[in-house]
Amino acid sequence: MSSSKVVIITGVSSGIGRATAIKFAQRGCRVFGTVRNLEKAQAIPGVTLVEMDLREEESVQRGILAIIAQAQHIDVLVNNAGVTLIGATEETSTDEAQELFDTNLFGLLRTIQAVLPHMREQRSGRIVNVSSVLGFLPAPYMALYSASRHAVEGLSESLDHEVRQFGVRVALVEPSFTKTNLDLNAPRTVCRIPDYSKELDVVSEAIHKNVQKAPEPNGVADTIVDAALGPWKMRRTPKGEASLLANLRRFMPAGPVEKGLRKTFGLA
């Protein structure tokens, strides 16, 4: 792919999305970044901000049509926007689960369905879905978040089979802990069951410490750019912990992998 591609990135207000938008712009791409509220959004050099709420079908369709009106085509869609949730599975309400999936899975589906007609017509395109290492290695007390990322992985692999006939490919990027406000300020379930409190506090503290010492989003952003503009590859993991975990999951017996995972999260 050339460096003059039209790129859409969802969720560019901060963190991975913002870092990725900057890198695409530096590569000479025409970049459109989505935000929920234009009035509150901070400008990004070389990036056109578009107001879009992924939870609302009409908002997504309106945003994509506005981009098409300006750029006439779309070469790359990066589904980056997402939310997280910490809490025991038993504590998680169906309303909280639905809200999580409405952004992490259905928001992604809305943008894909809005963009695909244009990619099919031009017979080319790349869709990059930002998942997580929790999409292949679930973590304790993050069951619904892990489930949403597993869903993204399944959707992505199935979708790639369906759209490659049109010159469109789908790829996954699976980061590990990254220093972002989203992870540092991860919300917890409203319901609290005392029996889980001790372990949940330990896990929450472990997550906070791991995020604090995690790398900045630039490494993940580089991986996303490679997934979008480089040779197609179904899965890419950023260098460091994410790549290590992917290899452990693939080559190590389940027992030692599980033991290492529990240790990471402070569990015996």
Side-chain angles (χ1 to χ4, degrees):
M1 289 188 176
S2 72
S3 61
S4 59
K5 298 296 182 181
V6 175
V7 180
I8 301 175
I9 310 166
T10 64
V12 300
S13 295
S14 62
I16 293 171
R18 188 176 185 85
T20 303
I22 291 170
K23 287 187 179 291
F24 273 115
Q26 290 172 342
R27 291 282 291 267
C29 298
R30 186 173 184 185
V31 185
F32 295 86
T34 78
V35 294
R36 282 189 183 178
N37 191 320
L38 270 177
E39 293 181 357
K40 296 181 179 179
Q42 184 180 357
I44 305 174
V47 178
T48 301
L49 298 182
V50 178
E51 190 166 271
M52 186 187 296
D53 190 335
L54 301 184
R55 301 167 299 179
E56 298 178 4
E57 181 79 27
E58 185 179 335
S59 177
V60 172
Q61 291 289 341
R62 185 170 58 247
I64 297 301
L65 288 176
I67 292 169
I68 288 292
Q70 294 181 63
Q72 283 74 58
H73 68 284
I74 298 168
D75 297 296
V76 176
L77 168 64
V78 177
N79 281 307
N80 161 75
V83 295
T84 186
L85 183 68
I86 297 174
T89 306
E90 188 180 351
E91 296 175 326
T92 309
S93 70
T94 53
D95 285 343
E96 288 172 320
Q98 286 170 347
E99 185 176 351
L100 185 93
F101 270 72
D102 202 19
T103 296
N104 289 5
L105 179 64
F106 299 124
L108 176 146
L109 178 61
R110 291 181 188 107
T111 59
I112 288 173
Q113 290 181 336
V115 164
L116 266 179
H118 306 285
M119 289 186 171
R120 280 193 291 106
E121 184 178 2
Q122 69 198 24
R123 287 301 194 263
S124 66
R126 184 76 58 89
I127 297 171
V128 180
N129 294 328
V130 180
S131 176
S132 165
V133 294
L134 299 192
F136 61 81
L137 189 63
Y141 296 95
M142 298 186 77
L144 272 300
Y145 177 77
S146 296
S148 73
R149 293 314 191 188
H150 273 66
V152 167
E153 303 244 335
L155 181 150
S156 299
E157 290 201 58
S158 293
L159 179 62
D160 182 67
H161 285 295
E162 297 167 5
V163 298
R164 65 178 68 178
Q165 62 181 311
F166 310 119
V168 179
R169 299 308 301 262
V170 183
L172 285 159
V173 172
E174 301 164 320
S176 183
F177 289 116
T178 307
K179 190 177 291 184
T180 67
N181 290 331
L182 175 68
D183 290 327
L184 283 172
N185 303 310
R188 289 176 60 161
T189 54
V190 173
C191 175
R192 301 291 170 85
I193 299 175
D195 280 351
Y196 293 107
S197 294
K198 184 177 179 180
E199 271 201 355
L200 179 54
D201 287 343
V202 170
V203 169
S204 296
E205 180 63 23
I207 291 172
H208 189 74
K209 286 181 178 178
N210 275 287
V211 172
Q212 283 185 318
K213 68 181 183 182
E216 299 290 339
N218 285 326
V220 181
D222 285 332
T223 305
I224 293 171
V225 172
D226 288 343
L229 303 181
W232 177 83
K233 182 180 178 183
M234 186 71 240
R235 283 177 167 80
R236 292 178 188 259
T237 50
K239 294 178 182 178
E241 185 177 53
S243 291
L244 174 62
L245 289 172
N247 287 328
L248 288 176
R249 182 66 161 181
R250 182 178 180 184
F251 298 113
M252 288 285 288
V257 173
E258 182 185 79
K259 185 177 180 180
L261 180 71
R262 289 181 63 82
K263 182 178 179 181
T264 296
F265 287 90
L267 301 180

